[in-house]
Amino acid sequence: MTASIENTTTPIQWPVEGVSRVPYAAYTNEALYALEQEKLFRGAIWNFIGLDIEVPNVGDFKTSSVGDTPVVLVRSAPEKFSAFVNRCAHRGATLCIDKEGNRERFTCVYHNWSYDLEGNLKTVAFQKGVRGIGGLPADFKTCDHNLRQLRVESFHGLVFATFSPETPPLQTFLGPKMCAHMARIFSRKIKILGTYSQYMHNNWKLYMENVKDSYHASLLHLFFATFKLNRLSMQGGLVLEGDGGHHISFSKMATDVGGGTEYESGGLRAQSDDFALRDGRILKSWPEFEDGVTHAIQGIFPNLIVQQIQNSLAVRLLVPRGVGECELFWILFGYEDDTAEQTETRVSLSNLIGPAGLVSMEDGIIGNFIQRAIGSDTDGKTVLEMGGRAVESQESRVSEASVRGFWQEYRKHLQL
Ligand code: FES
Ligand SMILES: [Fe+2]
């Protein structure tokens, strides 16, 4: 009998076609999910964990996530951010239960061990026991039991954290084109208009594919095409960075030439000229940037989205919640120097986005359409050949080049 050697380090086999195919198992395999947490989220990448203005004062904190690892972002000094795993070093209890607030110390409810703003263990309740009996051994050193601390860097008010000492500086990780776009969006002081999260019943990567899929926007979203907010016949393109993990897809509403496209010849489900708005105020907007770009979606690998849809601005952080579930955290914002009317317009335009948004609601369900259709089929694979098979920046958005870029970067980190 010949012994077979199984490759136990790779939970799935990638199809020979490369990134123009994605095996269904990528969305359903439990072992792959665990490997992602280790190699990707706790590996050599920067993870967005919050905005600096969410923690304006020393001691302010918010809870966040790096992959599915709970973390806390704290302003530990006037110009310093710290981040640590939200898990007590004693017996692993959730340390910080509140979503946000201000603390001088973080004290665990279970046995009252307490930590400073950087996550260093400061006090242990009954460390010396009672009247000399019980307590910790004499050689116990509190400094050996700090919380697991992450490196933190920020860029234009976006705060990122990494577990890995290998991760290059944040701006190197982002790359020049992504930095330039972020500098454009975060050029002035911002103010938060609202936050919420939405829960989705699909693997997290199905949502990231959707974000990077400029092909679907005016086909799935009836509202976009019908009211001519974003159509493939507008000037625009895909900008990829580095190995393709980060991307920007953009369009300019004023450049819609119309004519000679499938929009006019009919037959597109998403185009319905019978629809009109009784109250057009929802579509009121003004030119936000001089470059004429009215729609720009930036995907920072692996799970951050920076959004400009007309004057609706937002960042979204996608958090995996197990292999078939994920949660998307939205932060809607405007600028501090906006007029009251501009703020009202931004709030009104936010009807387009979010779990019940006139546009985004379809993005919240389409991942589940895939997840439930795949079921437990581990043999099948998806097809990603729109715009060719390459990973590159392109002028056409009738393309899946940025989706292929996501997978190219993903495979590199997971060594698949
Ligand atoms: S688990 Fe936190 S103090 Fe015991
Ligand atoms: Fe969409």
Side-chain angles (χ1 to χ4, degrees):
M1 197 174 124
T2 318
S4 68
I5 301 167
E6 276 194 23
N7 184 349
T8 51
T9 57
T10 307
I12 65 167
Q13 292 298 323
W14 206 270
V16 291
E17 295 94 332
V19 291
S20 64
R21 296 288 183 280
V22 179
Y24 290 158
Y27 312 109
T28 58
N29 186 289
E30 295 276 356
L32 182 67
Y33 178 84
L35 196 67
E36 286 170 356
Q37 299 306 316
E38 180 199 331
K39 299 259 189 232
L40 188 62
F41 294 107
R42 294 197 295 273
I45 59 160
W46 286 102
N47 299 270
F48 174 75
I49 54 169
L51 296 172
D52 62 357
I53 58 166
E54 293 182 274
V55 288
N57 304 306
V58 174
D60 284 354
F61 71 89
K62 72 165 278 192
T63 54
S64 188
S65 295
V66 168
D68 64 10
T69 304
V71 300
V72 183
L73 163 64
V74 190
R75 191 180 284 259
S76 49
E79 297 301 326
K80 186 175 180 195
F81 302 102
S82 296
F84 48 76
V85 174
N86 192 9
R87 182 192 302 142
C88 181
H90 178 217
R91 297 258 292 280
T94 296
L95 176 65
C96 183
I97 299 159
D98 295 340
K99 286 187 176 146
E100 59 188 22
N102 184 282
R103 295 267 194 288
E104 287 179 12
R105 287 279 169 92
F106 290 90
T107 302
C108 179
V109 292
Y110 202 172
H111 314 92
N112 284 205
W113 289 27
S114 81
Y115 304 85
D116 68 14
L117 297 179
E118 294 181 10
N120 302 308
L121 178 60
K122 295 314 247 188
T123 61
V124 171
F126 295 109
Q127 181 166 359
K128 295 189 187 318
V130 174
R131 297 187 198 97
I133 302 171
L136 287 169
D139 62 355
F140 181 93
K141 291 196 188 73
T142 50
C143 63
D144 290 339
H145 300 276
N146 296 330
L147 300 172
R148 185 153 182 207
Q149 296 166 14
L150 289 82
R151 287 169 61 204
V152 179
E153 283 189 26
S154 66
F155 181 70
H156 276 273
L158 293 99
V159 186
F160 292 76
T162 182
F163 278 103
S164 172
E166 312 291 318
T167 315
L170 176 60
Q171 289 190 51
T172 308
F173 170 79
L174 294 171
K177 290 179 274 190
M178 296 300 124
C179 285
H181 185 77
M182 280 182 172
R184 167 184 177 275
I185 298 274
F186 297 95
S187 57
R188 289 136 63 199
K189 281 197 167 170
I190 64 165
K191 63 177 178 190
I192 293 174
L193 302 179
T195 62
Y196 49 78
S197 79
Q198 79 184 93
Y199 205 86
M200 291 179 282
H201 298 270
N202 55 260
N203 182 268
W204 68 277
K205 299 186 295 297
L206 287 167
Y207 184 78
M208 284 315 290
E209 283 193 308
N210 170 271
V211 163
K212 287 168 172 286
D213 171 2
S214 48
Y215 175 38
H216 87 279
S218 62
L219 298 169
L220 175 66
H221 303 305
L222 183 142
F223 199 89
F224 260 162
T226 298
F227 297 107
K228 300 183 175 52
L229 296 180
N230 182 24
R231 307 206 309 173
L232 292 170
S233 46
M234 293 169 186
Q235 222 180 65
L238 294 174
V239 178
L240 274 63
E241 184 89 69
D243 289 327
H246 312 313
H247 94 294
I248 301 159
S249 68
F250 70 95
S251 61
K252 302 179 178 184
M253 203 161 74
T255 62
D256 193 8
V257 284
T261 72
E262 286 178 56
Y263 293 111
E264 284 69 32
S265 54
L268 291 182
R269 186 202 64 87
Q271 170 96 13
S272 179
D273 294 328
D274 296 339
F275 287 138
L277 292 172
R278 272 204 201 133
D279 184 343
R281 279 179 300 177
I282 197 174
L283 295 183
K284 203 175 93 181
S285 67
W286 76 93
E288 183 86 61
F289 299 105
E290 284 178 1
D291 55 16
V293 170
T294 46
H295 188 99
I297 301 293
Q298 180 178 36
I300 298 298
F301 186 83
N303 62 343
L304 167 67
I305 300 107
V306 178
Q307 164 213 304
Q308 177 213 346
I309 298 176
Q310 321 282 85
N311 307 103
S312 166
L313 305 173
V315 290
R316 314 175 201 159
L317 173 67
L318 182 65
V319 175
R321 299 285 192 208
V323 72
E325 317 263 312
C326 57
E327 188 169 3
L328 184 63
F329 291 83
W330 296 72
I331 305 173
L332 279 52
F333 64 89
Y335 298 107
E336 261 188 8
D337 57 4
D338 282 345
T339 64
E341 194 188 348
Q342 285 173 323
T343 300
E344 198 184 312
T345 300
R346 293 194 200 282
V347 171
S348 170
L349 280 168
S350 68
N351 284 300
L352 299 176
I353 60 167
L358 292 165
V359 174
S360 295
M361 66 176 148
E362 289 120 343
D363 294 324
I365 188 62
I366 200 68
N368 180 259
F369 276 26
I370 299 169
Q371 193 86 41
R372 69 193 189 198
I374 288 173
S376 57
D377 182 353
T378 52
D379 294 334
K381 49 198 173 188
T382 69
V383 181
L384 290 174
E385 297 198 4
M386 275 287 163
R389 300 189 185 96
V391 172
E392 61 187 6
S393 297
Q394 294 186 345
E395 277 175 28
S396 170
R397 288 170 300 129
V398 192
S399 174
E400 290 163 324
S402 47
V403 188
R404 290 189 289 276
F406 173 86
W407 289 110
Q408 180 161 286
E409 185 80 30
Y410 178 89
R411 291 180 65 192
K412 186 180 81 183
H413 287 274
L414 275 86
Q415 295 162 320
L416 290 173

